[in-house]
Amino acid sequence: QPEKVLISLGINGGVNYPINQFAKETQTNQYGGKITRAGMGNVYLSYHLSKDYRITGSFYVSSLQSREIMEKLDAKYSSYNAIARNAFNSATLNFGLQKNIYINGRDEFCLFIRPELGLQLNNTIYDSRAYYSNALTDNIIFEDDLQWSPSFALSSGFEFTIFRHFLL
């Protein structure tokens, strides 16, 4: 590889956990406990303008599951194979600028701040009233509610150089 690398690639995956009003079920919270954890993924690409600045692009995919939706389906249908992915899905494409702040003047350890703007596609079957059944395969197919929205992401964290061209 060349001495100075101008492009960075990051791949992340993990679990989404509900927070705030969706996390806990209480008598006064009508939304609590209706969402359970599911997965997320992120591919991140950046072009290094200098040691301190990068142009960034990110593609996020996330999903959440709903126990309530599956309970409603179980109550309504005795036997089915639901082709209903997760209750909530989103895909986001963001672009922005990253600022690196090096700690103690060392190149191995830095704090970064990354604001990004983009477009998000949201998909839910939570409020979907329309679905149809395929009698041949006994499948229920939901008509998804797709909505586009603007997105803003603010990321921050630490980068630590493990060895040449690899960061943690």
Side-chain angles (χ1 to χ4, degrees), residues 17-37:
Y17 289 95
I19 60 172
N20 295 335
Q21 66 181 350
F22 299 106
K24 295 181 182 175
E25 193 168 354
T26 64
Q27 290 180 344
T28 58
N29 182 5
Q30 64 178 337
Y31 302 108
K34 295 183 179 184
I35 306 298
T36 57
R37 67 177 183 253

Side-chain angles (χ1 to χ4, degrees), residues 42-96:
N42 174 22
V43 175
Y44 159 81
L45 186 67
S46 69
Y47 179 77
H48 300 228
L49 296 172
S50 68
K51 176 181 170 183
D52 297 325
Y53 292 97
R54 300 177 189 173
I55 295 174
T56 64
S58 298
F59 180 68
Y60 297 93
V61 178
S62 66
S63 65
L64 290 169
Q65 298 170 347
S66 171
R67 183 179 65 234
E68 180 184 0
I69 290 175
M70 299 325 280
E71 287 173 357
K72 285 180 181 179
L73 289 172
D74 289 341
K76 190 167 185 173
Y77 301 96
S78 59
S79 173
Y80 67 91
N81 296 316
I83 305 177
R85 296 162 301 279
N86 292 310
F88 302 94
N89 298 298
S90 68
T92 308
L93 184 61
N94 286 334
F95 296 96

